[in-house]
Amino acid sequence: MKLYATITVVLLVLGVHAGNGGKRQLPALGRPMREAFYMDPDFVQLNHGAYGTYPKVVGDALREYQQRSERNPDLWLRRDAKTELAKVRQMLADLVNADSADVVMVPNTTGGINAVFRSLVFAAGERILHLSSIYNSMGSIIQYLVDYSNGSLSKLVFDVTYPMSNEDFLLAFETFLNQTEDPAHPIRIALIDHITSVPSIVNPIERIIPMLKQRNISVLIDGAHAIGQVPINITALQPDYYVTNCHKWLYAARGCALLYVDKKYQGEVHPAQINSGYSQPANFQNEFFWTGTMDYSSYMTVPTALQFRREAGGEDVIMKYNHDLAYNGGRRMAELFGTSIMQDEEQIGSMVDVRLPVNNPDDSKLDGEWWIDEQLYRHPNTFSSVYKHNGSWWVRVSAQIYNDLSDFELSAQHFLDICNELNMNDQTTTTSTTTTSASTTTDNSNSASSNVIICLKLQFFTMVLVLISVWM
Amino acid sequence: MRYTIPMMNCAIAVSFIVICVHLRESNEVEELRRLPPLGRSMRQEFFMKDDYIFLNHGSYGTYPRDVQKGLREYQERAERDPDLWFRKDLKPEHTKVREMLAEVINADAEDLVLVPNTTGGMNAIFRSLVFAAGERILHFNTVYGSMGSIIQYLVDYSNGAISKLVFNVTYPISNDVFLQQFETFLNETEDPEQPIRIALIDHITSVPGVVIPIERIIPLLKLRNITVVIDGAHAIGQVPIDVKALDPDYYITNCHKWLYAARGSAVLYVAKKHQPFVHPGFINAGYSQPAKLQDEFYWTGTMDFSPYMSIPAALQFRRDAGGEEMIMQYNHNLAYFGGKVLASAFKTEVLQYKNQIGSMVDVRLPVDNPDNPKLTNGWWVNEQLTKHPETFSPAYKHNGRWWVRVSAQIYNDLSDFEVCAKHFLAICNELNGSQNTTTDNDDNPNTESNVNSFAHVTLFKDN
């Protein structure tokens, strides 16, 4: 039995070698790229921004590292993990143009921001500044600090309402800073999103940061959405703190995030999970390396994710594809809805927000959960985050390398169905019958790559048959 | 041409299948899946390398194939439709896991939350406390490193308002003597100006791996109005836990250690009266005043929930392997007898009394000069990983002497402890620069007779 298995495996190996000439080729950007990911074939993923997802090669790397740690846990966790983690930090530091000594891995942005905020020692009267568009958990962290400060701390919120151009935002923000200046209540620290979550706006932080630092305000950038969606240059931006999720737009496995802390603050920053790396003053790398036993495999998927992105065309190609698709896709949806998109083009990374054609936005049954249930249970072919802003309902659609324009048209149809039912309106929009023909996506699947895929599938199928028979 | 070889392989594989099916039918192979008996043969259910003797389950745990299968299924499920998983399907499954754990440790499911590890749970407890000036935090000198750091952190940032009080315990010591000493200590250090606010006690200390009689300590402390936190990191899966009977204020334990769940998964119990004040280390959108335990801890940022989801598979595996009692008894007996094998080979002693042993045993290492300055914990780690990689157990200093803590598991048997003995004798002999070489049974009558007598002891039941 074993002899047969061996012979078959040997033939298989030769077959693999002859079959595809050794070099792996990714499918082209767009619909064909779906094969490289795990999503259900009949589901159109247009919500990458919420939880991210990762390609199959990253899933393979995740499993490999998980397996490796079980083969010899002590060797992995006491020795090898540290070396490999240092390599991961170096790769990410290069990507964001920072020193690897100034970055640490954290499980997610929530953890990184907790570390920064809960390490601050405030003086009485100080204020914490943030925008009204702050992500809900980060708002909670600030509220928590205020609540437990016995009245000595307060927060200062700058209200933002979109649509609004970046120029207008900067003018309004500067005015606000001037008007709220108060020596008795200095603003100690400001939390600003690099890319807001809802609405999804790319903020001009390269101009906001200097404005704040001039006023001696520490700057914490919540870049949860940033890495992999827009270029990040820490050395140029010079924030005091920066946090970003690798498991969102960078295709690493969940949870995996990066925290940057300016050298001058490192002595004071402790993780949310204090551990035996604690010291006074803090030694940055020691404090954050081991925050309790965990599975480091998600951090270890970063190199594979970066390699995948290089093979898919590289950071610039990916970002441009996603940006153009988000912009064009959003405008197409707005056209089909008869509404508009929220952003100026420069405010768009890979996400676009489109106003939904809801006749009565103040309908009392409409809340976040309603839109979630409608989509997940009654129109499950796709899903995008829906939220209320400035009196209207908006949908935030994410563009990714596995999407193309027809996905946006499908999303439009999906929301038109929901909204029409909601509006209980008889008039059928003319666009609801003409969806696919306007697709501008070229059929990028060339014969070479599909041949390779067929070859690989045959190999895989054969391998499975062999394994089944050996187990029997 | 491209497809020829793969097609050929296909054809061979198909004929292979046909042959196998024929043979299978003719053999009438038993369909029901059975786990191997406890002991060496159980190794095949786990992933450790063939030539590696794993005797350090206590540090990071490990999990069997069944659990990995569960882990991967959930990981893939999350990628097929992340929104459906995270927004809808996760919550009921998360609740089921808490309910299962609630049964295992006899608590109410609504008083339990899942956290990534004990360090996280402990930070949640301690960093949520609001102290009054002068209060003290009590712990043993054997507190786990990171937990000691959390307490130190609180003291450092209190501007002198709070301080810690450390009870020194030195092993070997019996539970009765230990309890006497502890009670005396509590009486002697009583100070109304500096009340002890809270005490952190291990259920099973890490190093040394000692089972503490917390069912007697908790009442001692509560009588004095001291809040009790039990660090049960090692406990679940190693010893029975009855939260309702023990009635601590807080209890935390790692499922990824002795319960065979995937890393990181732990469970935190908070007595109802403290729940309005407890917030997680990662404050998140579930924050409120007063706190609602389930809302505060459910979503501490985007993460992979699959390790939590691997807990049911771990519990099922343990049932298939013979059940909690059988596993705990096997491990306990093996640790106990294995410790004797080591002590005999080293000509030293075991640290614990029998009722202080769960599944770990600590044995004094035959080191001639314990104060040798090159000896650090790290030195022992390095020696083993680089020069004697066939097995690994953590060595540490306690009460001026070097000890090794060895873990017993259902994939171990006594011969593994013999390998461990040889391993440390080799290291210690090199260290001591002594000429004593032999560790062979032939030359050491004590070891031989011990091994022979243990061979007659039935450590597991045949299926």
Side-chain angles (χ1 to χ4, degrees), chain B residues 169-173 207-208 346-353 362-372 375-377 380 394-405 428 431:
Chain B
V169 53
T170 318
Y171 293 95
I173 187 175
V207 279
F346 298 162
K347 299 194 181 51
T348 60
E349 67 273 3
V350 167
L351 181 141
Q352 294 96 335
Y353 284 68
D362 298 48
V363 187
R364 185 161 63 85
L365 286 165
V367 174
D368 289 343
N369 176 18
D371 298 320
N372 184 338
L375 289 185
T376 60
N377 291 6
W380 291 96
Y396 62 93
K397 208 170 187 185
H398 177 79
N399 196 20
R401 275 108 57 96
W402 286 95
W403 301 78
V404 60
R405 180 193 79 186
C428 292
L431 175 66

Side-chain angles (χ1 to χ4, degrees), chain B residues 246-258:
Chain B
L246 290 168
D247 201 22
D249 293 287
Y250 307 86
Y251 191 105
I252 171 120
T253 184
N254 279 338
C255 301
H256 59 237
K257 262 201 207 293
W258 294 89

Side-chain angles (χ1 to χ4, degrees), chain A residues 170-420:
Chain A
L170 287 164
L171 273 171
F173 189 54
E174 187 151 27
T175 308
F176 176 82
L177 286 175
N178 292 336
Q179 285 171 347
T180 56
E181 206 166 323
D182 175 2
H185 294 96
I187 301 170
R188 167 70 178 278
I189 185 166
L191 171 60
I192 310 285
D193 287 346
H194 191 159
I195 304 177
T196 315
S197 185
V198 280
S200 62
I201 305 285
V202 179
N203 284 319
I205 58 171
E206 70 284 355
R207 293 168 67 182
I208 298 178
I209 293 174
M211 232 190 263
L212 294 165
K213 291 182 89 173
Q214 257 161 19
R215 290 165 165 77
N216 274 328
I217 300 171
S218 293
V219 183
L220 165 55
I221 301 292
D222 176 355
H225 276 272
I227 200 172
Q229 186 175 169
V230 295
I232 304 171
N233 186 338
I234 301 268
T235 305
L237 289 167
Q238 295 229 316
D240 295 297
Y241 314 87
Y242 192 106
V243 194
T244 183
N245 277 339
C246 303
H247 60 237
K248 259 201 207 294
W249 294 90
L250 204 65
Y251 309 152
R254 257 167 249 117
C256 176
L258 190 72
L259 164 65
Y260 161 83
V261 175
D262 187 308
K263 283 191 203 327
K264 67 179 184 264
Y265 293 113
Q266 288 176 13
E268 302 151 18
V269 177
H270 308 286
Q273 302 197 174
I274 302 289
N275 58 84
S276 54
Y278 167 73
S279 65
Q280 284 289 2
N283 177 314
F284 193 46
Q285 293 299 330
N286 291 350
E287 295 266 348
F288 282 84
F289 173 62
W290 187 275
T291 57
T293 299
M294 57 181 277
D295 183 359
Y296 284 88
S297 309
S298 49
Y299 297 166
M300 300 301 149
T301 62
V302 168
T304 308
L306 293 175
Q307 177 64 23
F308 175 87
R309 292 170 71 82
R310 279 190 289 272
E311 287 175 13
E315 296 295 324
D316 289 344
V317 165
I318 292 176
M319 291 186 195
K320 179 163 165 47
Y321 180 89
N322 291 347
H323 169 86
D324 290 346
L325 181 55
Y327 185 50
N328 294 326
R331 288 188 306 165
R332 180 74 180 122
M333 287 177 76
E335 196 184 354
L336 294 169
F337 291 164
T339 62
S340 52
I341 70 170
M342 176 182 276
Q343 296 94 338
D344 293 341
E345 192 181 353
E346 62 169 356
Q347 296 172 322
I348 292 179
S350 317
M351 299 186 283
V352 64
D353 298 45
V354 191
R355 187 157 55 83
L356 286 168
V358 173
N359 289 351
N360 178 18
D362 298 320
D363 184 341
S364 57
K365 79 170 179 215
L366 290 183
D367 61 9
E369 275 309 299
W370 186 89
W371 290 99
I372 292 172
D373 287 345
E374 267 303 287
Q375 297 185 75
L376 289 179
Y377 298 128
R378 312 225 354 248
H379 300 266
N381 55 340
T382 184
F383 183 100
S384 289
S385 299
V386 175
Y387 63 95
K388 203 170 188 187
H389 180 79
N390 197 16
S392 300
W393 286 96
W394 301 80
V395 58
R396 182 192 77 185
V397 191
S398 301
Q400 259 297 0
I401 61 174
Y402 46 73
N403 294 122
D404 59 27
L405 204 60
S406 66
D407 292 337
F408 280 75
E409 289 171 346
L410 184 141
S411 175
Q413 188 57 55
H414 161 92
F415 280 105
L416 279 169
D417 289 344
I418 295 175
C419 291
N420 288 343

Side-chain angles (χ1 to χ4, degrees), chain B residues 16-169:
Chain B
F16 200 0
I17 300 262
V18 170
I19 297 170
C20 288
V21 169
H22 175 75
L23 285 172
R24 180 170 174 266
E25 277 168 5
S26 61
N27 284 342
E28 291 173 351
V29 168
E30 164 83 271
E31 291 262 8
L32 285 173
R33 186 173 168 276
R34 297 172 66 202
L35 286 183
L38 304 186
R40 202 24 105 89
S41 28
M42 191 56 93
R43 279 181 63 111
Q44 76 197 49
E45 291 301 314
F46 289 79
F47 292 106
M48 57 221 58
K49 276 172 77 171
D50 284 338
D51 54 355
Y52 182 66
I53 303 291
F54 192 40
L55 284 163
N56 192 24
H57 195 98
S59 279
Y60 311 111
T62 190
Y63 53 81
R65 295 177 193 289
D66 289 358
V67 171
Q68 186 192 66
K69 187 159 169 292
L71 181 72
R72 290 181 176 190
E73 268 171 29
Y74 278 99
Q75 281 170 342
E76 264 185 52
R77 178 173 173 181
E79 295 326 301
R80 282 201 298 274
D81 187 343
D83 289 284
L84 182 61
W85 170 243
F86 285 113
R87 294 177 197 268
K88 287 290 161 181
D89 293 347
L90 168 63
K91 197 147 205 182
E93 302 234 8
H94 190 272
T95 303
K96 270 191 236 155
V97 170
R98 284 190 297 111
E99 285 166 358
M100 283 189 204
L101 289 172
E103 273 186 44
V104 175
I105 64 178
N106 192 24
D108 276 336
E110 69 205 21
D111 300 335
L112 300 180
V113 286
L114 299 175
V115 290
N117 45 46
T118 295
T119 304
M122 204 59 78
N123 270 281
I125 296 168
F126 274 104
R127 296 183 76 165
S128 297
L129 294 167
V130 177
F131 289 89
E135 284 182 331
R136 290 185 292 176
I137 304 173
L138 168 65
H139 68 80
F140 297 165
N141 60 331
T142 48
V143 73
Y144 185 68
S146 284
M147 312 312 161
S149 294
I150 299 170
I151 293 172
Q152 189 60 52
Y153 161 87
L154 290 182
V155 167
D156 289 346
Y157 279 93
S158 73
N159 279 329
I162 55 177
S163 56
K164 55 182 194 188
L165 179 63
V166 183
F167 172 61
N168 282 321
V169 53

Side-chain angles (χ1 to χ4, degrees), chain B residues 306-364:
Chain B
S306 311
Y308 297 164
M309 299 299 132
S310 73
I311 291 170
L315 292 173
Q316 181 61 41
F317 175 85
R318 293 169 72 81
R319 279 190 290 271
D320 291 345
E324 296 293 327
E325 272 180 42
M326 196 158 126
I327 292 176
M328 291 186 195
Q329 185 169 54
Y330 178 87
N331 291 348
H332 168 81
N333 288 339
L334 182 54
Y336 177 61
F337 289 121
K340 284 180 183 280
V341 165
L342 292 171
S344 196
F346 298 162
K347 299 194 181 51
T348 60
E349 67 273 3
V350 167
L351 181 141
Q352 294 96 335
Y353 284 68
K354 189 171 194 292
N355 66 354
Q356 295 171 331
I357 294 179
S359 317
M360 299 185 286
V361 66
D362 298 48
V363 187
R364 185 161 63 85

